[in-house]
Amino acid sequence: MRLDRVSFAKRLAGYSEAVTLPTQPLVEGRLLRMVGLTLEAEGLRAALGSRCLVINDDSYHPVQVEAEVMGFSNGKIFLMPVGSLAGIAPGARVVPLPDTGRLPMGMSMLGRVLDGTGRALDGKGGMKAEDWVPMDGPAINPLNRHPISEPLDVGIRSINGLLTVGRGQRLGLFAGTGVGKSVLLGMMTRFTEADIIVVGLIGERGREVKEFIDEILGHEGLKRSVVVASPADDAPLMRLRAAMYCTRIAEYFRDKGKNVLLLMDSLTRFAQAQREIALAIGEPPATKGYPPSVFARLPKLVERAGNAEKGGGSITAFYTVLSEGDDQQDPIADAARGVLDGHIVLSRRLAEEGHYPAIDIEASISRVMPQVVSAEHMRLAQRFKQLWSRYQQSRDLISVGAYVPGGDADTDLAIARQPAMVKYLRQNLQDNESLESSSAQLAATFNPAAAGA
Ligand SMILES: Nc1ncnc2c1ncn2[C@@H]1O[C@H](COP(=O)(O)OP(=O)(O)OP(=O)(O)O)[C@@H](O)[C@H]1O
Ligand SMILES: [Mg+2]
């Protein structure tokens, strides 16, 4: 089975529209060998980052797999497959694809679930491509970026009040496994105001994809969302691309003047996909098994979110980051903390106590908060954190009754305010708490009349 280039490109993208592609003659190559995940081909010329089709058409079941050029050496080209390699044999044809790396975009993507190459996963048929855009978005001059100046209501009381998020901010949700990252991300997805939501489910459980769509987004939410899903069992290149693709989609809508909310679960799996690829093509590992290219890719991806130039749209991005074994020194968590504009750390201890969302307000920070809230709000938030910290420090003494009231005025106040503070920090899954009410309740926590509340 041989497809001509035009019908192949159409099929590849799952789009209904005819695509015009150049018709220069193709120079095919042959597959020489495969080592680990890497394919070696010779006889063709293809640029780094371009795509090829590996075709085995001399069997009863012709197979074709898309692969990307990752490197070259001595006339050989190294490729990484996007899909499964079952059925590919030595000597298979390697055909470079024309106009590679361009992705279909359009309003018809809203409400759809796509894979890392733009193919529909939801079986709802073709989409209309309004534009074909390169994978790398247009670079924005950092001096022209509109500064973060407006607060964004995320519907979570403790975040709105104590870690206020700004429109165009890039925030990480850090925690070990099973502490509640995905659930908190889901709550923020439902409550945050945005014109368009782009969700990247990268390298996590396949089961969660459907759950996220049905239970978190729901029918109404999906209408203004695009979901890009590449679960853990996808090829590493597919996961990597899915992360870049959802970022690209967010950029596309931002450049149309929309306020976009980009959610990625998880940034760690993106880094791990890059690690798998880099190690497979021979890059040496450097920090805790991660090759240097991983740390180069992270800021490249994250820097693409943020505000556009003045008057343009924005991308507010939330990334989940797994801090392995609850280790805050994990190299990916560390690198992510450095490039993001804030981090919300979830604590296993709080989760175990049934305190949800398990946000550790002492360890969390929103770097843009001073720019987006009033001085009075900032003061109250700092006071709240101080008292909360004070209580945590004396927690053991207080719980065994060894603390003598009157010893320290702040500790006395912290003890008096503790029930109100816990009440402030906890929130039910269904409750949406607005920015105004979060800030009013923050003030009320210090008001003795509200202490019994
Ligand atoms: N706000 C909440 N209220 C009640 N239960 C919660 C809440 N958040 C999390 N949980 C409980 O914790 C479990 C794990 O949460 P979640 O799947 O969000 O963790 P995660 O950090 O994304 O884990 P992983 O790293 O494995 O993906 C949930 O299945 C739920 O039982
Ligand atoms: Mg999760």
Side-chain angles (χ1 to χ4, degrees):
M1 181 184 66
R2 274 191 202 193
L3 289 170
D4 67 57
R5 290 159 152 231
V6 173
S7 49
F8 175 75
K10 272 164 67 181
R11 210 175 120 143
L12 181 74
Y15 274 67
S16 55
E17 198 158 283
V19 193
T20 354
L21 294 172
T23 51
Q24 79 271 27
L26 291 173
V27 182
E28 287 189 19
R30 292 274 159 197
L31 192 63
L32 280 181
R33 62 178 199 147
M34 175 177 170
V35 182
L37 286 171
T38 323
L39 303 173
E40 266 180 47
E42 69 172 4
L44 77 160
R45 273 183 65 178
L48 216 53
S50 69
R51 283 186 282 165
C52 294
L53 201 58
V54 183
I55 306 170
N56 184 15
D57 50 7
D58 56 16
S59 67
Y60 288 111
H61 302 289
V63 177
Q64 35 182 318
V65 183
E66 205 192 317
E68 189 170 310
V69 180
M70 305 302 289
F72 49 83
S73 166
N74 295 332
K76 281 185 223 147
I77 283 189
F78 303 119
L79 303 124
M80 288 283 289
V82 173
S84 153
L85 281 173
I88 293 296
R93 297 163 56 210
V94 180
V95 185
L97 287 168
D99 195 19
T100 49
R102 290 211 164 241
L103 296 162
M105 293 284 169
M107 293 308 275
S108 62
M109 288 195 301
L110 294 179
R112 303 300 303 264
V113 185
L114 312 171
D115 75 3
T117 54
R119 265 172 279 212
L121 287 173
D122 52 12
K124 291 188 191 161
M127 287 163 280
K128 193 168 175 298
E130 286 161 25
D131 295 297
W132 289 81
V133 300
M135 187 59 121
D136 290 326
I140 301 180
N141 179 338
L143 294 179
N144 294 344
R145 270 189 195 257
H146 188 52
I148 300 174
S149 54
E150 267 178 69
L152 182 71
D153 188 348
V154 297
I156 314 286
R157 184 167 48 231
S158 51
I159 300 179
N160 279 345
L162 304 169
L163 303 159
T164 317
V165 177
R167 194 180 285 288
Q169 185 173 2
R170 298 141 327 152
L171 202 71
L173 298 184
F174 291 72
T177 51
V179 181
K181 295 184 295 298
S182 302
V183 172
L184 182 61
L185 192 72
M187 284 172 81
M188 288 161 72
T189 313
R190 266 180 294 142
F191 304 149
T192 304
E193 253 176 72
D195 299 330
I196 286 178
I197 302 174
V198 182
V199 185
L201 299 172
I202 315 297
E204 294 286 323
R205 303 165 194 87
R207 159 184 69 79
E208 289 182 342
V209 175
K210 188 140 177 44
E211 271 177 25
F212 195 91
I213 294 163
D214 294 347
E215 285 161 32
I216 293 173
L217 286 177
H219 187 64
E220 282 305 304
L222 186 61
K223 276 194 203 158
R224 55 180 184 129
S225 309
V226 189
V227 180
V228 179
S230 185
D233 57 348
D234 266 1
L237 191 54
M238 192 69 153
R239 282 176 265 144
L240 194 74
R241 274 206 196 165
M244 297 196 288
Y245 186 35
C246 63
T247 307
R248 189 67 190 93
I249 296 173
E251 283 175 327
Y252 175 79
F253 287 114
R254 174 193 63 194
D255 294 342
K256 288 195 169 301
K258 307 275 188 211
N259 288 316
V260 181
L261 179 65
L262 171 66
L263 308 153
M264 199 178 289
D265 193 6
S266 78
L267 194 62
T268 304
R269 304 294 177 207
F270 163 80
Q272 288 174 349
Q274 173 62 23
R275 169 169 70 178
E276 279 178 54
I277 293 169
L279 292 177
I281 59 171
E283 199 184 325
T287 320
K288 285 202 183 169
Y290 285 93
S293 63
V294 174
F295 302 99
R297 281 252 188 194
L298 268 182
K300 260 187 145 175
L301 186 81
V302 169
E303 273 300 316
R304 290 164 61 181
N307 282 338
E309 294 176 4
K310 201 166 172 57
S314 65
I315 303 175
T316 308
F318 299 147
Y319 301 94
T320 64
V321 180
L322 182 70
S323 22
E324 272 173 34
D326 292 329
D327 171 13
Q328 291 299 315
Q329 302 314 316
D330 175 75
I332 295 304
D334 227 22
R337 234 192 313 273
V339 292
L340 294 166
D341 309 315
H343 46 270
I344 291 178
V345 179
L346 304 186
S347 138
R348 191 174 295 279
R349 182 177 66 76
L350 290 174
E352 282 167 356
E353 286 174 5
H355 175 121
Y356 285 114
I359 301 174
D360 178 350
I361 55 159
E362 290 175 275
S364 307
I365 180 172
S366 165
R367 296 187 198 215
V368 308
M369 185 170 171
Q371 280 124 268
V372 298
V373 299
S374 66
E376 174 62 8
H377 184 157
M378 198 67 210
R379 193 187 64 77
L380 286 175
Q382 273 165 353
R383 185 73 183 133
F384 188 111
K385 285 191 181 182
Q386 273 167 5
L387 289 183
W388 179 261
S389 254
R390 183 56 64 100
Y391 186 86
Q392 301 306 321
Q393 283 159 12
S394 319
R395 200 176 132 101
D396 294 341
L397 286 181
I398 298 166
S399 61
V400 296
Y403 176 74
V404 184
D408 177 77
D410 262 6
T411 312
D412 289 345
L413 190 60
I415 296 171
R417 292 289 162 270
Q418 177 67 6
M421 289 197 285
V422 170
K423 187 161 181 274
Y424 186 79
L425 295 176
R426 284 190 184 175
Q427 187 170 336
N428 281 331
L429 279 174
Q430 306 74 20
D431 299 346
N432 180 356
E433 199 71 55
S434 75
L435 211 51
E436 291 72 38
S437 126
S438 304
S439 123
Q441 288 184 46
L442 178 63
T445 327
F446 296 101
N447 176 359

